[in-house]
Amino acid sequence: MTRLPLSVVVPARNEAETIGSVVHHLLSMDWVDEVVVVDNASQDDTAKLAQEAGARSVFEPQAGMGHAVRAGLAAAAHDWVMKVDADLEKFNVKLFSEMVDARGGNIGLIKGDWTDPKDNMPMTRLLVKPGIAWLFPGLSGLRSPNTGIYLVNRSLIAHQEIVGNYAADLDVMVRVYAAGAEVIEADIGRIEHDMRDVGHYNKMAETIMGFLLLCQQTRITEEVVVLAQTAGDVLQNALGLCSVRAKAGALVTVFLEDVGSAQAEVLKDTLAAWPTSRVLPLAEAKTFAPEGPEERIQLLCSAALSVHGFDVQTGLTARGCSMPEPLVMAGSDGFRSDHGFDVTSVLDVKSNALTLAGLPPAASPREVFQSLSSYVNKAKAS
């Protein structure tokens, strides 16, 4: 079997004392094709010494783990990327091959599971594992969800969107899970870390709690499914919602009747920024099957389709999908909406797409929707 190429990314800030040996050690492994050292605003010779040791160096001026991880994932030459810490002298790096060998099937992320006999992992036990189990039940069996050593298929996720702080490693994991890929672990041995003080854990806890609350807000594991006659309908009335959700990492599928039109190409190009989105012919909606881990769907339908009696739930409820709030997009009939969605964060994306499609600019930083059931009843009553 052909071995898939692999890049190793090492975020490093002021690591001149050890970075040379780290790079040498990694490059001695036969499963490493390149080492990328992310110089995260260092004030020493980290970058110079990394290059002398045989690594490629990338400069990231914004200090912070997430910024460094984003830069490294973007710079890597290969889709399979192993992210490791700069303190590799504490590990038996040969055991990292356990992660490499675990690739296959639908696996998108392999976490490096290590143990420290002197550390009872208070942050993992008291915050990360309970929070992950509550929000993402399918990940509750992981022993080390917060480990910063892992191997990921970056092509599955919008890695340019991960958070810029310490929670970046969790963000990568959650995005892979939401994309419908498997997250597993591989044993990489035992180490002994230096003890950390309470202040360090307090700062970690604040960052991680903020990330978990963000996950709850963005509903990352709830797929968005849009059914529409024209791409213009989606561009004007639902592109903002689709962009916000895809940017966060959720799966987004748009079914169009005019899937081959020029405006549909604009929609495809816009959503292509996020790997978890796609645009398909409307006819395929009848055989649609959810790909996310929890089979929850946010269903949007154009007003024209609901008025014409299109069965928007065909093939969805029959597959056991949960649709807590089916909605219909605002149409030219100007019905009264009962839902509003703030798209301010992606208004520039929507405005650019509307311009390219030859459509009027967005009139509001909000998109409005009405519950599908009430709209259909209203249509029948008339």
Side-chain angles (χ1 to χ4, degrees):
M1 185 174 70
T2 304
R3 184 180 70 81
L4 296 172
L6 183 151
S7 300
V8 178
V9 166
V10 186
R13 178 174 169 82
N14 297 327
E15 300 285 356
E17 192 172 321
T18 60
I19 196 63
S21 62
V22 167
V23 173
H24 278 302
H25 203 165
L26 287 169
L27 288 175
S28 70
M29 301 293 118
D30 60 7
W31 42 264
V32 175
D33 293 283
E34 70 160 352
V35 175
V36 178
V37 172
V38 182
D39 174 13
N40 194 198
S42 297
Q43 297 176 323
D44 60 12
D45 290 332
T46 292
K48 176 176 177 290
L49 294 171
Q51 291 172 17
E52 290 177 353
R56 228 172 4 105
S57 177
V58 175
F59 181 65
E60 172 49 56
Q62 286 187 278
M65 176 59 72
H67 298 300
V69 173
R70 274 203 305 255
L73 289 174
H78 308 294
D79 280 336
W80 277 102
V81 180
M82 183 178 289
K83 182 260 179 181
V84 303
D85 298 324
D87 58 351
L88 287 189
E89 72 277 0
K90 298 175 182 176
F91 291 89
N92 179 0
V93 178
K94 291 182 179 179
L95 290 177
F96 288 12
S97 64
E98 296 294 322
M99 291 185 282
V100 180
D101 295 339
R103 290 182 292 181
N106 189 43
I107 294 171
L109 176 68
I110 303 102
K111 283 275 193 175
D113 177 27
W114 51 267
T115 56
D116 184 341
K118 294 183 179 180
D119 189 347
N120 66 1
M121 303 294 180
M123 193 59 54
T124 299
R125 286 188 303 104
L126 301 176
L127 178 57
V128 179
K129 290 191 73 171
I132 291 296
W134 179 263
L135 292 170
F136 311 106
L139 297 174
S140 60
L142 295 176
R143 297 178 298 274
S144 303
N146 202 35
T147 177
I149 300 175
Y150 51 85
L151 179 59
V152 64
N153 183 349
R154 68 168 181 189
S155 69
L156 298 175
I157 63 173
H159 53 83
Q160 74 278 11
E161 306 288 1
I162 64 174
V163 295
N165 55 36
Y166 173 81
D169 298 330
L170 286 173
D171 198 3
V172 170
M173 178 183 72
V174 169
R175 286 175 180 271
V176 170
Y177 176 70
E182 289 185 65
V183 177
I184 65 172
E185 290 178 310
D187 189 351
I188 59 171
R190 292 159 61 95
I191 66 164
E192 291 189 16
H193 270 119
D194 297 330
M195 295 299 293
R196 292 166 173 170
D197 60 29
V198 174
H200 173 83
Y201 284 123
N202 287 344
K203 188 173 182 179
M204 285 174 60
E206 182 179 346
T207 299
I208 291 172
M209 178 60 75
F211 172 73
L212 294 175
L213 291 173
L214 180 64
C215 287
Q216 183 180 41
Q217 177 184 347
T218 56
R219 293 148 58 187
I220 188 174
T221 56
E222 185 175 276
E223 295 185 53
V224 176
V225 178
V226 182
L227 303 163
Q229 284 187 312
T230 70
D233 211 7
V234 180
L235 289 166
Q236 290 179 302
N237 302 308
L239 177 60
L241 184 148
C242 291
S243 299
V244 168
R245 297 292 299 284
K247 186 176 182 180
L251 289 167
V252 175
T253 303
V254 180
F255 292 104
L256 291 179
E257 197 166 63
D258 69 337
V259 72
S261 68
Q263 289 184 345
E265 291 304 312
V266 172
L267 179 62
K268 292 175 188 176
D269 290 343
T270 302
L271 292 178
W274 305 290
T276 52
S277 63
R278 57 184 178 169
V279 179
L280 301 172
L282 182 61
E284 294 185 20
K286 294 181 180 180
T287 57
F288 169 78
E291 295 184 0
E294 297 176 11
E295 297 192 354
R296 287 177 58 85
I297 291 174
Q298 177 69 72
L299 182 66
L300 307 178
C301 179
S302 69
L305 284 177
S306 62
V307 168
H308 290 359
F310 188 86
D311 185 2
V312 297
Q313 299 190 43
T314 296
L316 297 180
T317 52
R319 290 175 172 81
C321 301
S322 171
M323 289 178 289
E325 194 177 28
L327 302 173
V328 63
M329 294 183 285
S332 57
D333 59 348
F335 62 76
R336 180 183 175 85
S337 69
D338 55 6
H339 298 269
F341 192 84
D342 187 356
V343 300
T344 303
S345 63
V346 294
L347 196 57
D348 57 335
V349 173
K350 180 172 181 176
S351 297
N352 183 61
L354 290 172
T355 299
L356 291 173
L359 295 169
S364 169
R366 296 183 70 80
E367 291 175 343
V368 295
F369 309 92
Q370 187 177 49
S371 295
L372 180 62
S373 56
S374 64
Y375 187 85
V376 172
N377 290 338
K378 172 184 170 184
K380 287 180 179 179
S382 60

